[in-house]
């Protein structure tokens, strides 16, 4: 039943469809929470089952009952394998839909960006990183290293591509505006204004200094997000191998943070 609902929601990702509505995005948000909860409980069950069967196999071998041990190894995971297949299918949908959820909400934060009085940054920074942090922690709550790794990769790609590109484009807007008005760059403003003081110059939605602050603070937030996730890995994954995989994944966040510094 849940899988049917997941497949229905995954249709929203199909190219050519109109942008999903807020109620549809809220429904997707709830569905992703449900999958994450189900996955975390499955991982607990899976660990319990494997531990018990491993103990039974060890006892059988200790008693030199190799045929029993072989039977346990081959047969005891039949039900688990079927469940595992279902969970893997759900997790595959989860990773794709979480990416869609990320992109849609980051784009919304970009559209609704505005300056805030007495704030060094505009709303885009806090809004974007709130979404990224929420999705990263939801992925970790699945206790599935594949899901968590996939979502962290999506986050890094969004930061280093779509989000950074938007900030870079806005940084160029004052020069583009001057060029379109025939002012030849920022240095031409004084002479033009002197010759025509009544000429009005459109103001950008967000001031240049605020855009520069957005870029600087965003770079700091990328590093902060990576550090927070590394702490969460220790609490989420009992396997040193899984923790190592996740740390290797978010290590690329440092490179992304450097991209913001280089702007």
């Amino acid at each position: 039943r849940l899988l049917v609902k997941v497949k229905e929601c995954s249709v929203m990702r199909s190219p050519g469809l109109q942008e999903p509505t807020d109620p549809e995005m809220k429904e997707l948000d709830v569905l992703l929470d449900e999958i994450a909860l189900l996955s975390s409980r499955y991982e607990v069950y899976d660990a319990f089952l494997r531990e018990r069967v491993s103990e039974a196999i060890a006892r059988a071998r200790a008693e030199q009952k190799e045929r029993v041990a072989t039977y346990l190894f081959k047969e005891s995971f039949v039900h688990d394998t079927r469940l595992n297949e279902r969970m893997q299918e759900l997790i595959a949908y989860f990773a794709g839909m979480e990416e869609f959820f990320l992109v849609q909400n980051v784009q919304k934060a970009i559209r609704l960006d505005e300056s805030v009085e007495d704030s060094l940054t505009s709303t885009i920074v806090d809004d974007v990183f709130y979404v990224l942090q929420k999705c990263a922690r939801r992925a970790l709550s699945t206790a599935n290293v594949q899901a968590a790794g996939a979502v962290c990769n999506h986050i890094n790609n969004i930061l280093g591509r779509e989000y950074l590109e938007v900030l870079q484009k806005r940084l160029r807007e004052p020069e583009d505006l001057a060029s379109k008005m025939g002012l030849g760059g920022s240095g031409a403003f004084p002479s033009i204004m002197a010759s025509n003081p009544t000429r009005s110059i459109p103001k950008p939605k967000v001031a240049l200094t605020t855009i520069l602050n957005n870029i600087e603070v965003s770079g700091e937030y990328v590093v902060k997000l990576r550090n927070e996730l590394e702490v969460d890995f220790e609490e989420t994954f009992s396997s040193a191998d899984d923790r190592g995989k996740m740390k290797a994944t978010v290590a690329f966040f440092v490179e992304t943070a450097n991209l913001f510094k280089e702007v």
Side-chain angles (χ1 to χ4, degrees):
R1 184 178 175 183
L2 178 60
L3 192 55
V4 172
K5 191 174 181 181
V6 168
K7 290 179 179 178
E8 289 175 351
C9 281
S10 68
V11 174
M12 286 192 292
R13 299 169 55 212
S14 301
L17 295 181
Q18 63 181 27
E19 188 174 314
T21 62
D22 285 343
E24 287 175 331
M25 291 303 294
K26 288 179 181 177
E27 182 182 2
L28 178 58
D29 192 19
V30 171
L31 183 59
L32 289 168
D33 283 340
E34 290 179 1
I35 297 175
L37 178 60
L38 182 61
S39 176
S40 67
R41 290 179 176 175
Y42 164 74
E43 293 294 335
V44 172
Y45 164 75
D46 181 68
F48 169 80
L49 184 61
R50 292 180 184 277
E51 182 180 359
R52 290 295 178 268
V53 172
S54 295
E55 290 173 356
I57 291 173
R59 284 196 303 270
R61 285 179 174 160
E63 297 171 3
Q64 297 183 343
K65 298 178 180 179
E66 194 60 37
R67 290 179 64 184
V68 175
T70 302
Y71 173 81
L72 284 169
F73 183 79
K74 288 182 177 180
E75 301 297 333
S76 57
F77 289 109
V78 171
H79 176 70
D80 177 54
T81 300
R82 291 172 183 166
L83 178 58
N84 183 267
E85 288 175 358
R86 287 295 186 181
M87 283 307 307
Q88 290 302 317
E89 189 174 0
L90 274 176
I91 287 299
Y93 277 109
F94 173 87
M97 291 192 299
E98 191 71 272
E99 179 187 18
F100 177 77
F101 184 85
L102 272 166
V103 171
Q104 290 296 315
N105 280 279
V106 167
Q107 289 178 348
K108 182 177 181 180
I110 291 170
R111 289 195 306 271
L112 299 180
D113 184 31
E114 60 183 3
S115 296
V116 180
E117 188 175 357
D118 299 325
S119 176
L120 294 176
T121 61
S122 61
T123 58
I124 190 174
V125 178
D126 285 340
D127 288 349
V128 165
F129 280 90
Y130 169 79
V131 173
L132 300 182
Q133 185 182 61
K134 173 182 178 176
C135 292
R137 288 187 168 162
R138 175 159 57 199
L140 284 178
S141 73
T142 65
N144 182 292
V145 70
Q146 284 79 23
V151 172
C152 285
N153 277 324
H154 293 327
I155 288 172
N156 191 48
N157 289 335
I158 289 171
L159 283 169
R161 295 176 186 174
E162 288 93 334
Y163 180 59
L164 181 58
E165 285 176 3
V166 166
L167 296 180
Q168 289 175 320
K169 181 179 178 181
R170 291 184 177 179
L171 193 60
R172 295 192 297 266
E173 281 179 355
E175 294 181 4
D176 293 341
L177 179 61
S179 176
K180 289 177 182 178
M181 294 180 65
L183 303 182
S186 56
F189 273 92
S191 59
I192 293 293
M193 292 304 297
S195 62
N196 189 3
T198 62
R199 184 173 184 177
S200 62
I201 300 177
K203 293 183 178 180
K205 188 177 181 181
V206 178
L208 179 60
T209 53
T210 302
I211 297 171
L212 291 171
N213 288 333
N214 286 347
I215 294 171
E216 181 180 356
V217 173
S218 292
E220 295 171 359
Y221 277 12
V222 174
V223 176
K224 182 180 178 182
L225 178 60
R226 178 228 181 187
N227 294 339
E228 290 176 350
L229 290 176
E230 286 194 336
V231 173
D232 292 339
F233 297 158
E234 297 295 328
E235 300 174 356
T236 303
F237 300 108
S238 58
S239 166
D241 184 49
D242 287 346
R243 292 196 298 270
K245 289 178 182 177
M246 292 307 305
K247 287 182 179 180
T249 299
V250 298
F252 292 104
F253 281 36
V254 176
E255 295 179 13
T256 301
N258 290 334
L259 293 177
F260 285 87
K261 294 178 183 179
E262 293 169 1
V263 174

